[in-house]
Amino acid sequence: MQTELSRRLGIEHAVFGFTPFPAVAAAISRAGGLGVLGAVRYTEPGDLARDLDWIQEHVDGRPYGLDVVMPAKKVEGVSEAEVEALIPEGHRQFVEDTLARHGVPEPAEGEAAGWRITGWMEQVARGQLDVALDYPLALLANALGSPPADVIARAHERDVLVAALAGSARHARKHADAGIDIVVAQGYEAGGHTGEIATMVLTPEVTEAVAPLPVLAAGGIGSGEQVAAALALGAQGVWLGSVWLTTAEADLHSPALTRKLLAAGSGDTVRSRALTGKPARQLRTAWTDAWDDPAGPGPLPMPLQGLLVADAVSRIQRYEVEPLLGTPVGQIVGRMTSERGVQEVFDDLTRGFERAVARLDRIAGRS
């Protein structure tokens, strides 16, 4: 599964794997792809440095990357406490009522609070970059628009390619104008924040809009046949995220959540603002249903929603309250029916890719 972009990066397969788990990122790179560690959960620079050190020691000299979240729009001089003070009391009560209705235990006395979604704030992302750019990254990706011009310049000074996700050709052209090296065309089927256009439609639109920049196809891709389809549509590689959630190297800390993912079908996800305030595809649960119910208060805009629900989501995960338990995941979850190692996933991808190419050769009358 070689393309011009994969050869440029020195990877065997044009497969870019996004994951929040260092062990998965390293395994993707060792298997011949490019593992990309999601940085949004790292609020302390030391924690990110520790995990990048670990990845550096476990990729066997293969390249890897980092994904940050730097919103395209920011508010200067506002602290997290000032932002959190904007959350209405009625929304706080709705969270507590929903948790109580499903029997979610109160946190134990002295128990640490849940993970705070401060990684969405630009000053936190910049702290992550201050750490990460001291490492030999091959790729820096941004999940929310193009990163600021000075960030692109800093990456390019270190020969780090910069990628940005786009949900439309219009967004992709903005990335190209900003000096981005790679555009990730993320379709409606993808897990996490997505737009309204399906991958099959979006990929050729974006490749034509930003040519000759390389494009990665994302959303609904989990087989070698789908990789072949993405390349046939003009992409120079694929960006996979959801498929790694049920790998043996993943660390979900929740057997119940793993069971739910393995049992889910492709119709068991929903695009909801319940998690962050922006539409994000995730498992449909009683939690997403509550926030999407017209009788409720409705989600707040980003970043208020993320700050509002952070502790609640942590409690749901800690106590594995199954009706509420979910995670961002794409429609490809219907193919994630067994726990496999990362290398086994790659073996399946390459076999499927070979089958697809052979089928097309037969159709075209080539031996």
Side-chain angles (χ1 to χ4, degrees), residues 14-274:
V15 174
F16 296 70
F18 165 81
T19 175
F21 307 119
V24 176
I28 291 168
S29 290
R30 290 197 306 272
L34 193 138
V36 181
L37 179 67
V40 70
R41 68 189 178 94
Y42 292 97
T43 57
E44 296 297 330
D47 292 340
L48 179 58
R50 176 201 64 214
D51 283 355
L52 288 175
D53 283 339
W54 189 93
I55 290 174
Q56 182 70 26
E57 293 171 3
H58 289 84
V59 292
D60 296 343
R62 307 290 184 90
Y64 61 93
L66 188 76
D67 179 276
V68 297
V69 178
M70 302 186 78
K73 297 179 181 178
K74 63 178 180 176
V75 179
E76 298 283 2
V78 178
S79 68
E80 180 184 342
E82 290 172 315
V83 173
E84 195 160 2
L86 300 174
I87 297 173
E89 186 57 37
H91 279 72
R92 297 184 188 277
Q93 189 60 52
F94 179 76
V95 168
E96 291 306 316
D97 291 346
T98 303
L99 296 177
R101 190 162 57 251
H102 290 274
V104 180
E106 293 286 341
E109 185 175 350
E111 189 173 19
W115 168 65
R116 311 299 288 164
I117 308 182
T118 53
W120 302 106
M121 303 178 77
E122 181 172 333
Q123 62 266 35
V124 176
R126 284 186 176 275
Q128 294 164 350
L129 288 172
D130 289 341
V131 170
L133 288 177
D134 286 336
Y135 290 80
L137 299 179
L139 179 73
L140 175 67
N142 190 50
L144 289 178
S146 303
D150 68 295
V151 171
I152 297 173
R154 286 178 65 190
H156 286 167
E157 286 170 3
R158 292 164 172 79
D159 295 323
V160 178
L161 296 182
V162 181
L165 277 65
S168 71
R170 178 174 61 85
H171 292 155
R173 281 190 287 267
K174 287 184 177 180
H175 293 336
D177 292 342
I180 294 296
D181 304 295
I182 302 168
V183 176
V184 181
Q186 186 182 41
Y188 175 81
E189 305 95 323
H193 296 113
T194 67
E196 302 279 355
I197 306 171
T199 305
M200 188 78 172
V201 175
L202 180 65
T203 302
E205 287 186 353
V206 170
T207 58
E208 292 172 11
V210 301
L213 283 185
V215 171
L216 304 178
I221 301 172
S223 73
E225 288 85 353
Q226 290 166 319
V227 175
L231 301 189
L233 292 171
Q236 287 204 32
V238 293
W239 177 274
L240 308 185
S242 298
V243 73
W244 315 113
L245 289 173
T246 53
T247 56
E249 293 88 347
D251 192 9
L252 286 176
H253 298 295
S254 173
L257 180 54
T258 298
R259 288 196 301 271
K260 289 187 75 171
L261 287 168
L262 294 175
S266 56
D268 292 328
T269 69
V270 64
R271 202 163 154 270
S272 171
R273 294 170 53 223

